[in-house]
Amino acid sequence: ALFPLGSVEKSHVRRLAKRAMLPVAEKPDSVGLCFVGKRNFKEFIGGYLPPAEGEFVDLNGRVVGKHDGHHTLTVGQKAKIGGQARKLFVCSKDAATNRVVVVEGRDHPA
């Protein structure tokens, strides 16, 4: 994942922070929005946008579940899909089709 340090990968910055013994080196990633605060994001956004059922799909386009709208999810977030034995994470979202692509693992190369 990239963040506001240009093309420097987050994993590299974490290694540098660990070497410098910065306390944030081991801090968990945040995929939320700071202005939402401690509120549940899905409930927060639901106050502004109505639910819009869509599909979770894998990289091959195979439907693996349903969601309440791509706008309720953030890239990198764990996708809560019933009946899945594996942990899936949001990889990308397509607003035009309301499809959300999910992959196994947080660090998937896709």
Side-chain angles (χ1 to χ4, degrees):
L2 298 177
F3 67 141
L5 287 178
S7 62
V8 180
E9 295 214 4
K10 191 182 293 187
S11 58
H12 179 69
V13 174
R14 288 220 184 257
R15 284 193 300 277
L16 293 173
K18 191 171 186 171
R19 240 182 269 148
M21 295 187 285
L22 297 175
V24 295
E26 301 295 327
K27 186 177 178 183
D29 287 348
S30 170
V31 294
L33 300 173
C34 60
F35 64 85
V36 173
K38 300 275 184 205
R39 294 176 284 182
N40 176 288
F41 179 75
K42 188 173 180 178
E43 290 174 13
F44 170 79
I45 202 71
Y48 299 92
L49 298 171
E53 187 176 281
E55 298 171 331
F56 282 115
V57 297
D58 64 16
L59 288 172
N60 296 317
R62 185 174 63 92
V63 176
V64 295
K66 300 276 184 195
H67 60 76
D68 293 328
H70 74 280
H71 59 276
T72 66
L73 302 158
T74 57
V75 172
Q77 172 183 352
K78 183 179 176 197
K80 295 175 180 142
I81 306 171
Q84 290 293 320
R86 57 203 171 142
K87 289 184 180 177
L88 298 172
F89 295 84
V90 175
C91 172
S92 64
K93 305 185 302 179
D94 184 338
T97 63
N98 197 23
R99 284 184 139 199
V100 175
V101 178
V102 292
V103 294
E104 286 189 57
R106 248 184 230 279
D107 298 321
H108 192 282

